[in-house]
């Protein structure tokens, strides 16, 4: 074994009794605790309503780890149409998000049956009179 400093992503159930902890090495400096999918980033994280209207299809990409084909992106409690690419990538049309959420900033996360849920990332389709309400495209716990 070798000691290292690592970022720990996830949570541990501290209830009394025997616990099974799932640990995944993500790279040389990060490990993930738990079985939940993890979103690292959303690209793009802001889209203007004008771009959506005049530039045709804009695809939004979720990047992360442990995505399953049964993991459903959700915003505002509503499921979003999506394409499962692989265990690290899911894509969606910005227009589909706009149809459900409009111009409000929203948190997008993944639900994986039965009861797994990822962290969330901010996404915003803003009008010409607004600026992007998301500080960055990184994930939030």
């Amino acid at each position: 074994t070798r000691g290292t400093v690592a970022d720990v992503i996830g949570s541990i159930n501290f209830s009394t009794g025997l616990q099974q902890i799932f640990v995944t090495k993500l790279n040389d400096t990060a490990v993930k605790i738990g079985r939940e999918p993890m979103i690292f980033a959303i690209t793009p994280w802001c889209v203007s309503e004008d771009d959506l209207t005049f530039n045709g299809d804009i695809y939004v990409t979720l990047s992360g780890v442990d995505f399953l084909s049964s993991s459903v992106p959700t915003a505002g409690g509503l499921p979003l149409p999506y394409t499962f690419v692989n265990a690290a990538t899911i894509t969606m049309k910005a227009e589909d998000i706009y149809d459900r959420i409009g111009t409000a900033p929203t948190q997008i996360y993944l639900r994986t049956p039965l009861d797994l849920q990822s962290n969330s990332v901010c996404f915003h389709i803003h009008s010409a009179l607004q600026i992007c309400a998301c500080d960055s495209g990184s994930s939030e716990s």
Side-chain angles (χ1 to χ4, degrees), residues 36-58:
E36 293 83 0
M38 180 63 57
I39 301 173
F40 295 138
I42 186 167
T43 309
W45 43 278
C46 276
V47 174
S48 77
E49 201 173 20
D50 288 345
D51 284 342
L52 195 60
T53 303
F54 298 115
N55 293 335
D57 289 340
I58 297 175

Side-chain angles (χ1 to χ4, degrees), residues 70-134:
S70 59
S71 299
V72 178
T74 306
L78 301 170
L80 300 168
Y82 68 99
T83 300
F84 174 80
V85 178
N86 56 44
T89 308
I90 286 177
T91 62
M92 304 164 284
K93 283 186 175 182
E95 182 179 347
D96 291 333
I97 301 170
Y98 180 73
D99 289 344
R100 286 167 172 72
I101 305 300
T103 57
T106 188
Q107 295 293 321
I108 293 180
Y109 57 92
L110 296 177
R111 286 188 184 268
T112 303
L114 296 170
D115 60 355
L116 301 178
Q117 180 174 310
S118 74
N119 59 314
S120 63
V121 289
C122 181
F123 181 75
H124 189 197
I125 296 174
H126 57 89
S127 69
L129 302 175
Q130 296 175 314
I131 59 170
C132 180
C134 299

